[in-house]
Amino acid sequence: MTDTRFPDVPTDLAEGVERHGRAVAAGENDVVLADFRRDRIGQLLASARPPDRMNASELLSIEPGPDELYTAHIRYTGAGGDQAVFRSRWIEIDGTWLVTQVRNVPDTPPVTPFAEPSEDGLDTPHWEGLAAGELRIQHCPACDEWIWSPRPICPACHHGELEWPSVEPVGTIYGWTRTWQAFHPSVTGHLPYVVVAVELPAAGNRRVVGVLLDGDGADVHVGLHVKAEFDSAPDPATPPLLRWRLS
Ligand SMILES: [Zn+2]
């Protein structure tokens, strides 16, 4: 049996997703939790950021995929009229449809409190560079060593007058990880996200770390080329952020 609105979707799934949306909007937490995959309840609770004081839900779509999952989009509306769209993915386990992934859409990169200037001020020129739309990496003019993370003197020759040239903000992915867990409240609503370690040919192959933009559905692997983007932080008091995009 299929739902007439969603012909490619089993009727019991379509009904279950719609019921789930109503339960989320109504704050019926026991019903919502019963829809979550048992081994992911903590992760799923922290994954999506709802509007304040939700009072309505609307099932926008359900479709098969990826793989054996089904993907649903539900729009939630808060009492103040603010809205959020959640993308949930559903899996059938022992005859029951359960949520195995959920996130806000569109895919937005997290602003974590860890990305900020160091207290000792050693990396201040790097952050000033980001504000100016440049990627500045520490360099020793005496021995041509590129240095990251920043040091007070050159680790190779102990020269004390280090410089901060702007380097071409392109590189290749040296390593990457996709994070599904909300290890900090600031990443809720931005999961999953991909962090990449990028090797910079223009800076002696030194590596810097940043969030990959549009990383959720991206086919990421080592060696792919990426280009930096300088993302102004939402709060003007905080420095801009170095992001990466597949190129
Ligand atoms: Zn040196």
Side-chain angles (χ1 to χ4, degrees), residues 21-44:
R22 285 196 300 270
V24 171
E28 295 168 357
N29 292 334
D30 50 340
V31 177
V32 174
L33 290 179
D35 287 334
F36 284 171
R37 189 170 161 167
R38 305 290 173 261
D39 55 348
R40 295 195 180 175
I41 287 176
Q43 174 196 334
L44 293 168

Side-chain angles (χ1 to χ4, degrees), residues 54-176:
M54 280 182 287
N55 59 11
S57 70
E58 182 187 358
L59 175 56
L60 302 176
S61 66
I62 317 179
E63 55 193 25
D67 301 323
E68 83 280 24
L69 306 179
Y70 282 79
T71 299
H73 288 85
I74 303 174
R75 180 164 55 218
Y76 295 101
T77 304
D82 50 326
Q83 295 186 320
V85 176
F86 286 8
R87 184 195 74 194
S88 52
R89 288 195 163 134
W90 296 71
I91 188 171
E92 189 175 29
I93 297 176
D94 299 331
T96 303
W97 290 102
L98 297 171
V99 178
T100 187
Q101 300 172 16
V102 65
R103 69 160 304 146
N104 293 64
V105 289
D107 174 354
T108 50
V111 178
T112 69
F114 322 118
E116 59 182 18
S118 62
E119 287 182 6
D120 57 21
L122 266 182
D123 59 4
T124 299
H126 172 74
W127 294 97
E128 290 172 347
L130 295 185
E134 293 181 359
L135 178 57
R136 294 180 193 158
I137 302 290
Q138 202 177 32
H139 178 255
C140 174
C143 74
D144 198 28
E145 178 85 352
W146 290 91
I147 302 156
W148 193 262
S149 56
R151 305 283 176 83
I153 61 170
C154 174
C157 75
H158 300 171
H159 186 72
E161 300 293 322
L162 302 177
E163 59 187 12
W164 284 87
S166 172
V167 303
E168 189 184 9
V170 298
T172 56
I173 295 177
Y174 176 83
W176 64 279

